Amino acid sequence: MSTPRPANHLKDEKSPYLLQHARNPVDWYPWGEEAFEKSRREDKPVFLSIGYSTCHWCHVMERESFEDDSVAALLNEHFVPVKVDREERPDVDRVYMSASQALGTGGGWPLNVFLTPDLRPFFGGTYFPPRSMHGRIGMLDLLPRVAGAWREERDALVDQGQRVIAALAAFARRDDLDAAAPAPEAGRLIDACYRGLERVADPEHGGFGGAPKFPQPSNLAFLFHAHATDASRFPHALELALAQLDAMRASGIHDQLGGGFHRYATDARWLVPHFEKMLYDQAQIAWAYLEGYQLTGREAYADAARGIFRYVTRDLTTAGGGLDSAEDADSEGEEGRFYVWTPASLAAALDADTAALAAYRWGVTEHGNFEHGTTILTDAHTVEETAARVGRPVTEVREALERARDALLEARSRRPRPHRDDKVLAAWNGLMISAFARGARALGDPNLRERAEHAATFVWTRLWDDERGELARRWRDGERSGRGQLADYAFLAHGFLDLYRATLHRDWLERAIAITEAQEARFHDAAQGGWFESPPDDPHLPLRMKDDHDGAEISGSSIAASNLLTLGDLLDRHEWRERARRATSVYAARLEKQPLAMPMMLVALSRAARPPRHVVIAGRPDDPAAREMIRAFDARHAPDDLLLLVDPDRVPDRPGIERLAPFAAGLGMKDGRAAAYVCVDYACTLPVTSADEFRARLDAPAMSHPGESR
C-alpha cells in the first residue's frame, strides 16, 4: 500500500476543487494574504491556477502535470502556486480570464496565469501538458523560461502586467461611454438581436451556430419574449426557440433515463455531450421548457421540465434542502462512462423483448455512436414508431418502456458515479428556486412549490446574515464562506420573486426586497450606472469588473436589471426603475456592436420601454373562486406580469400586500365575492368575478410594442 502524499496548504479548505489538489506535490496555497506575502517576501511570481471540481481538462492537467514531481519541483522552487475555485470566486476568475484573453493566450479552464507579486498578470494559458507535444508547450519547458524571464526581463513583465490591468480598468470604467448620450433606442437593438439569431440559426439541427453547441437559454428567453410582445414583428421567434427545444429534448445532451441536461454538445447535431451536469443549466433550461409549454401546450416540453426537476431532487439535493452545484463528466477515468450503453448492458438489465424495445427506442446498436462501441441514448424513435415496429398497442409499449426506463436507471445507479460537487452556491440555488417555483405554477404541481420553499429556506437561514444585511456565497460541510457576488444577490432575489408568485406569501417578496437593497448598496455604480460584479474593498482584487455577457450562465447585470424593473414598478420606487433603465446605457456600445451578447439585458430594455402591468386578486387565499383565478393566471405565459393577492382577512397587526404596493389599497372584493383587476401603469380595470371573464381580460391587448416610450 502506497503512503499518501503529505497535504499542502489546501488541506483545511472546504471547496471540493481545492481539496482535489490538497495532496498534489505542488505546494498549493489558497487565494489570500499568506500566499501573496510569501510572493513579496521571496520575490517570486505567483502561479495562479483556476478551475472547478467537475472540469474534465482540470482533471487531466492535475493528473498529468500537477501530480508530476518534476513539474511540482519547478513550481515550488520558482513560484508561489495558488489554486482558485472559479465557482467560489467568479470575480477572481473574470479578472484573470479577461487578462489572459487580453494577453492573447486564450481562455478556458483550467486557466493558468503568471502574476507579479502585486498580482498583475504577465503571461498565461489554459491546459499545459507536462512535456511539450503537438505544438503545445509543456510545463517542464515553460516554467524555466518564465522563471528566467522574471530574473532577466522583469521590467518588461511588470510593465506588461500594469498595462493589462490598466486596459481592463478602462474597460470596466467604460471610458468610451458618453454619459450625456441618450439611452439606446430599444426597438433598434432588439431588432438587431432578433436578426442576428435568425442569421446564425441552424435550420437542420436546431439551435444557433455550429459545434460546440451550448443551450444558452438566454437566447430562448429573448425569442419567447419577442414572440409574446409582437409575433407579427418577430415572425420566426417562436419557431426558432421551439426548434432548439425539440432538438435538445431528443438528443444526447438530454439524459434520456435520469432527466436533466449535460453542459453542451461537442458536435453540431447535439449528439455527443460534454457530460458535466451543472445546476445553473438545469434551472435555465427548465425555464425554457416551461415557457415552451405555456406557449404551445405540448406535453413533451412539460415532461422535459419534469425530468429536470426529478433529477435535481434525486441527485443534486443536500440534507436540509439545499441544492448542490454539479456532477462531473468523468467516472472510472473516462468521460461519459456512467451514461452509455451497449446491447449487452441492456440485456443484463432487461428481458430480451424489453431490451429490444429499449434498443430501438433509444438507438442502442452493436456499433454504437460513441467511444468503444458504446451508445449515448437519444430519442431515436418515438413510442409510436416503436409500437409499430413490434405490432403492439401504443399504450402497452409506452408502459413497457416506462418500466424499462426505471430498470435501466436502477441498473445505472449501481455503476460508479461521477464526482458530485456538493457545495451550495447562493446564486445557482436562486436560479433553481426560480425554476421550481415557475414549474409549480405552469404545471400546477404543489410539490414543486414545496421543493422551492425548502431550498429557499435553506439558503436564507444559512447564507443570509440578517444582522449585517449581507449574503455569503457558499455553504458546505457546515461552513458559510465567501462574500456574495452580484449574481448571488440578483439570482437569489429573482428566485424569491418567483417563489412569491408561486406562494403569494409576502415573506418571500420582503426577502427579495431586502436582498435587492443590500445588492444596491454594495454593487451599484453610482458614477456610471450598472453594477460591479464583485463586492467592494477586496484588498487582493486588482479591479472590479462588470459582467457584460449572457453566456451559459446569465449575467448578474441582466437579472439585476429585471429585478429592479419588477420591484420598482411594484413598489413605485422611481430610483430603482431609473437604475434599471440607466444600466442599458452602460452596455449600449457593446449592444450596438454585439447585440447577441446580452439577450436578457435586451428583454429588460424592452420591459423598461412599456408601462407596467399588474394583476390584483382581492379574495381569501382558500376561496375556490380566488384559487381558480390564480390558476388561470399561472397557466398563461406572462413572465413580466406580477400577481398580487389582497386578503380581506389578513392579521390586523400585520399589514397586507397593499403596504408594499399602495396602488392596490383600494382594490377589494365585489359583493363579498373574489374579484380580479388588471392594472396598466397603475390604472386598474373594473373588477371581474368569474374566471372566464378574468381569462378574457388577461388575453386583451395590454402590452405596447418594444421600443415605444413610456
Side-chain angles (χ1 to χ4, degrees):
M1 180 181 296
S2 61
T3 304
R5 293 183 186 272
N8 54 44
H9 294 83
L10 303 181
K11 62 182 172 53
D12 296 323
E13 297 297 310
K14 296 291 188 180
S15 158
Y17 177 62
L18 299 189
L19 291 173
Q20 287 173 350
H21 292 264
R23 292 192 179 274
N24 293 163
V26 178
D27 189 20
W28 294 113
Y29 283 79
W31 177 269
E33 179 57 26
E34 183 181 6
F36 306 143
E37 190 279 329
K38 176 181 171 70
S39 171
R40 295 188 297 269
R41 173 168 37 85
E42 298 183 5
D43 195 26
K44 293 179 179 179
V46 170
F47 175 76
L48 173 64
S49 185
I50 302 175
Y52 55 103
S53 79
T54 59
C55 163
H56 172 73
W57 284 102
C58 300
H59 300 330
V60 173
M61 189 166 178
E62 180 196 12
R63 185 170 61 247
E64 293 181 350
S65 296
F66 298 142
E67 286 287 336
D68 186 296
D69 289 325
S70 299
V71 171
L74 287 171
L75 279 170
N76 296 341
E77 180 180 357
H78 299 292
F79 304 93
V80 178
V82 171
K83 262 290 172 191
V84 166
D85 182 340
R86 70 168 297 265
E87 294 173 350
E88 292 201 352
R89 290 302 303 262
D91 49 350
V92 174
D93 178 60
R94 181 170 299 280
V95 168
Y96 292 107
M97 182 67 73
S98 300
S100 182
Q101 291 165 339
L103 287 164
T105 53
W109 300 282
L111 177 67
N112 297 289
V113 187
F114 295 89
L115 315 179
T116 65
D118 60 353
L119 307 182
R120 267 58 177 172
F122 60 84
F123 184 74
T126 54
Y127 162 72
F128 294 113
R131 291 160 184 82
S132 300
M133 55 187 293
H134 308 305
R136 182 182 291 272
I137 192 169
M139 294 286 278
L140 293 174
D141 291 323
L142 174 65
L143 295 175
R145 293 187 194 180
V146 175
W150 180 250
R151 290 192 303 271
E152 299 164 14
E153 304 173 41
R154 178 175 308 191
D155 289 347
L157 298 183
V158 169
D159 179 63
Q160 177 160 282
Q162 290 173 339
R163 284 188 286 108
V164 168
I165 290 298
L168 294 179
F171 181 79
R173 291 193 306 270
R174 298 312 304 261
D175 289 347
D176 60 335
L177 178 64
D178 181 359
E185 200 277 307
R188 178 167 49 81
L189 293 179
I190 291 164
D191 287 346
C193 184
Y194 173 71
R195 289 194 303 270
L197 289 173
E198 279 192 315
R199 280 195 303 272
V200 300
D202 182 342
E204 183 177 0
H205 304 300
F208 303 93
K213 268 209 174 108
F214 284 80
Q216 285 200 253
S218 57
N219 290 340
L220 304 182
F222 171 85
L223 291 169
F224 286 137
H225 193 274
H227 169 79
T229 52
D230 194 338
S232 62
R233 180 174 167 186
F234 307 107
H236 304 296
L238 184 60
E239 171 191 341
L240 292 173
L242 297 184
Q244 179 170 321
L245 293 188
D246 290 337
M248 287 172 51
R249 185 185 58 79
S251 73
I253 196 175
H254 184 199
D255 182 351
Q256 302 289 333
L257 296 182
F261 286 79
H262 301 294
R263 189 159 176 250
Y264 63 88
T266 61
D267 62 319
R269 296 185 297 142
W270 300 98
L271 173 62
V272 180
H274 180 41
F275 287 89
E276 282 177 279
K277 282 181 164 183
M278 313 300 293
L279 181 63
Y280 63 77
D281 280 328
Q282 310 314 313
Q284 294 171 106
I285 294 172
W287 292 357
Y289 278 103
L290 291 168
E291 287 198 86
Y293 173 64
Q294 287 178 311
L295 285 164
T296 67
R298 296 180 191 175
E299 278 298 321
Y301 299 157
D303 287 343
R306 291 187 185 104
I308 291 172
F309 297 140
R310 285 195 298 271
Y311 162 66
V312 172
T313 300
R314 182 185 65 241
D315 293 334
L316 287 183
T317 300
T318 195
L323 304 172
D324 296 338
S325 294
E327 283 195 299
D328 208 333
D330 299 6
S331 60
E332 301 181 83
E334 292 183 22
E335 181 172 3
R337 181 164 182 163
F338 180 75
Y339 296 99
V340 296
W341 294 83
T342 63
S345 60
L346 290 184
L350 305 169
D351 64 72
D353 288 343
T354 307
L357 285 178
Y360 187 74
R361 171 76 173 95
W362 292 304
V364 180
T365 66
E366 289 291 343
H367 299 292
N369 58 19
F370 190 51
E371 299 167 352
H372 315 303
T374 61
T375 296
I376 302 162
L377 301 190
T378 64
D379 194 4
H381 299 96
T382 67
V383 175
E384 290 75 15
E385 289 169 340
T386 307
R389 178 180 174 86
V390 298
R392 291 164 58 183
V394 170
T395 302
E396 179 183 315
V397 169
R398 179 176 285 109
E399 291 173 354
L401 287 168
E402 284 303 313
R403 291 193 297 272
R405 187 194 304 272
D406 292 342
L408 293 176
L409 190 60
E410 196 280 328
R412 194 178 78 176
S413 72
R414 296 195 297 271
R415 299 175 180 178
R417 288 196 69 92
H419 157 73
R420 184 179 69 178
D421 188 317
D422 61 353
K423 64 177 177 287
V424 176
L425 297 177
W428 297 0
N429 271 249
L431 292 176
M432 198 66 219
I433 290 163
S434 167
F436 276 125
R438 293 185 190 195
R441 296 175 58 220
L443 304 176
D445 186 344
N447 292 324
L448 297 177
R449 182 180 66 241
E450 292 176 10
R451 188 69 198 85
E453 289 186 288
H454 289 158
T457 300
F458 183 98
V459 175
W460 180 254
T461 56
R462 289 164 176 82
L463 291 177
W464 176 257
D465 185 331
D466 202 39
E467 287 186 11
R468 302 178 64 179
E470 186 172 77
L471 187 62
R473 178 158 177 85
R474 185 264 291 159
W475 174 272
R476 184 175 185 270
D477 195 21
E479 179 189 83
R480 173 172 62 191
S481 180
R483 299 171 72 190
Q485 309 281 307
L486 170 64
D488 294 301
Y489 286 80
F491 292 178
L492 192 60
H494 196 71
F496 284 5
L497 279 172
D498 276 332
L499 188 50
Y500 169 73
R501 288 178 167 104
T503 63
L504 298 176
H505 293 165
R506 199 187 68 179
D507 286 350
W508 297 117
L509 179 59
E510 291 182 328
R511 289 168 182 173
I513 294 168
I515 293 170
T516 302
E517 288 174 335
Q519 167 196 291
E520 292 304 287
R522 285 163 177 78
F523 301 97
H524 177 243
D525 180 359
Q528 289 194 307
W531 301 272
F532 294 110
E533 182 182 29
S534 57
D537 306 323
D538 186 329
H540 302 308
L541 202 65
L543 71 157
R544 301 172 78 195
M545 299 189 71
K546 291 178 180 175
D547 193 352
D548 62 352
H549 181 65
D550 291 329
E553 186 178 341
I554 291 176
S555 159
S557 297
S558 294
I559 296 298
S562 174
N563 292 346
L564 284 192
L565 284 171
T566 297
L567 290 171
D569 288 340
L570 173 66
L571 309 177
D572 199 19
R573 291 186 65 160
H574 177 74
E575 75 279 10
W576 281 7
R577 290 195 295 260
E578 287 307 307
R579 284 184 184 184
R581 291 192 185 95
R582 192 180 178 207
T584 61
S585 297
V586 173
Y587 301 105
R590 179 161 173 77
L591 291 171
E592 291 273 9
K593 296 174 184 176
Q594 294 179 289
L596 301 186
M598 300 187 77
M600 289 300 291
M601 183 62 76
L602 290 174
V603 170
L605 180 60
S606 172
R607 288 183 55 197
R610 299 192 314 273
R613 183 167 102 147
H614 300 100
V615 177
V616 179
I617 295 176
R620 298 171 181 85
D622 57 353
D623 180 351
R627 296 308 308 173
E628 187 178 1
M629 286 190 277
I630 292 169
R631 285 193 296 271
F633 177 83
D634 286 347
R636 292 295 193 273
H637 178 260
D640 298 343
D641 292 352
L642 189 65
L643 176 68
L644 304 176
L645 180 67
V646 176
D647 181 2
D649 294 338
R650 63 183 180 273
V651 179
D653 62 353
R654 188 161 187 229
I657 193 69
E658 57 269 33
R659 181 183 68 82
L660 297 176
F663 77 92
L667 306 180
M669 298 174 67
K670 183 179 180 182
D671 300 328
R673 301 168 65 191
Y677 304 79
V678 176
C679 307
V680 178
D681 211 8
Y682 308 106
C684 301
T685 62
L686 294 174
V688 295
T689 56
S690 79
D692 288 340
E693 288 179 294
F694 181 46
R695 290 187 186 95
R697 190 67 58 79
L698 288 174
D699 291 338
M703 293 171 132
S704 57
H705 294 170
E708 294 180 359
S709 59
R710 288 182 56 173

